[in-house]
Amino acid sequence: MKTRKMHNKSKGDFLTDFQKDNIESLAEYVADYYCPKGAVNPEIIAEQSKISFSYGNYGDSFDGLLEHEYGKFHIYINNDRLVHPYTERARFTFAHEIGHYYIDHHRNALAQGLAPSHPSFTGFVSDNLVEREADFFASCLLLPKNRFKQDCFRRKFEFKLIQELSKKYQTSLTATALRYATIGCSPIMVVYSVSNTIKWYWYTYDFPFWSLKHGKLRVPEDTAAGEYFSKGKEYTSSEIVFADDWFNIKFESDMSRQFFEHCVYGKQQNVLSIIWEK
Ligand SMILES: [Zn+2]
């Protein structure tokens, strides 16, 4: 049993396996308990958990915020940054704030007044551990493992699959691709770069290469993401890259292995590369 479990794991530098496993089980439990079918609705979870919430216009001060006052919790969602309550980003932010409530040490810190309110900028952009944990909780809550695995069963990986899942669960392509790499239905790697440096990357246990060509220092030039940073080029289709373009290769025979790279471009010089073997 132990080896089997190992093969389901993913690797990366976003969170440790221990943090990841605990948060994933917690989020799965909350999702299945309150929203057992289809897309998860964070508003229903908040209502049933007796957390009040409101949508308002708060400028640039936060995406979402969990506040604790007189024993009660309240979630604020900022329409100024998230447009309206049903955008993927608003749902993700709402789920992130629910994470601050359900993850014990986040809620306890709030309840004890150590952090009276919790302003968040969500969507895998923060280096802060608490924020990364809440982001990961959000992706597990909105993309529950068992449902997700059923949808991926016997399906070969292609970018279209991420698009379909993202539509079904009303989650962003980034959150959906990261979730795919965590659950590990088939070998992929996701690399998130901002301004030509690599912020984090994540890959399934069975992905053939683990060592990025320049580490996290900079995006390799001859990759689709590299071309975005050097020439501003944006691809709409999945592009072919060689193993040698992205990774440090030990054996010469591996150099010409072909991969697809599909880039999802963000608004602030950020690119998510989804990489899988051809
Ligand atoms: Zn937060």
Side-chain angles (χ1 to χ4, degrees), residues 11-239:
K11 295 268 172 204
D13 63 345
F14 189 72
L15 291 174
T16 66
D17 281 347
F18 178 74
Q19 293 160 331
K20 212 155 52 69
D21 288 351
N22 284 337
I23 292 171
E24 186 172 55
S25 323
L26 175 65
E28 181 89 357
Y29 174 81
V30 175
D32 286 348
Y33 188 80
Y34 294 111
C35 299
K37 277 189 191 148
V40 169
N41 183 346
E43 287 185 359
I44 290 179
I45 299 174
E47 274 163 17
Q48 307 257 323
S49 310
K50 309 230 170 349
I51 308 168
S52 52
F53 57 87
S54 53
Y55 296 89
N57 297 85
Y58 308 105
D60 269 338
S61 42
F62 58 82
D63 289 338
L65 183 138
L66 177 66
E67 186 183 68
H68 175 261
E69 232 179 39
Y70 310 114
K72 291 209 166 105
F73 288 90
H74 186 90
I75 290 174
Y76 296 89
I77 302 292
N78 184 2
N79 281 344
D80 278 342
R81 287 178 54 87
L82 307 169
V83 190
H84 66 77
Y86 304 104
T87 58
E88 289 160 358
R89 284 199 57 211
R91 282 169 46 76
F92 190 87
T93 297
F94 205 133
H96 171 114
E97 298 308 324
I98 286 175
H100 285 315
Y101 176 81
Y102 271 101
I103 299 170
D104 284 338
H105 64 104
H106 297 198
R107 184 188 59 254
N108 293 340
L110 269 176
Q112 288 163 11
L114 298 176
S117 69
H118 207 305
S120 306
F121 290 95
T122 65
F124 314 110
V125 291
S126 179
D127 288 325
N128 179 312
L129 176 65
V130 167
E131 291 300 279
R132 283 192 173 198
E133 287 179 333
D135 273 343
F136 187 65
F137 179 96
S139 72
C140 298
L141 184 78
L142 297 176
L143 297 154
K145 193 181 195 167
N146 289 330
R147 275 171 246 188
F148 196 93
K149 270 180 142 173
Q150 275 172 16
D151 292 329
C152 297
F153 188 61
R154 291 198 175 149
R155 288 207 47 189
K156 194 174 160 9
F157 186 82
E158 53 182 336
F159 184 68
K160 207 175 90 187
L161 179 58
I162 297 296
Q163 286 175 310
E164 278 176 32
L165 291 164
S166 130
K167 212 173 238 174
K168 175 171 178 181
Y169 292 102
Q170 298 159 48
T171 47
S172 70
L173 294 168
T174 301
T176 313
L178 175 60
R179 192 73 185 116
Y180 190 98
T182 322
I183 292 175
C185 305
S186 65
I188 72 163
M189 180 186 269
V190 290
V191 183
Y192 186 72
S193 334
V194 181
S195 305
N196 204 23
T197 53
I198 290 164
K199 192 116 179 148
W200 50 258
Y201 56 99
W202 209 314
Y203 50 93
T204 53
Y205 190 83
D206 48 3
F207 194 79
F209 302 105
W210 307 334
S211 170
L212 298 179
K213 200 163 184 174
H214 307 307
K216 290 171 79 180
L217 276 182
R218 65 177 200 276
V219 179
E221 300 72 18
D222 295 329
T223 59
E227 285 187 34
Y228 170 76
F229 292 114
S230 63
K231 302 174 198 159
K233 175 131 183 84
E234 292 190 22
Y235 291 101
T236 49
S237 54
S238 307
E239 293 301 303

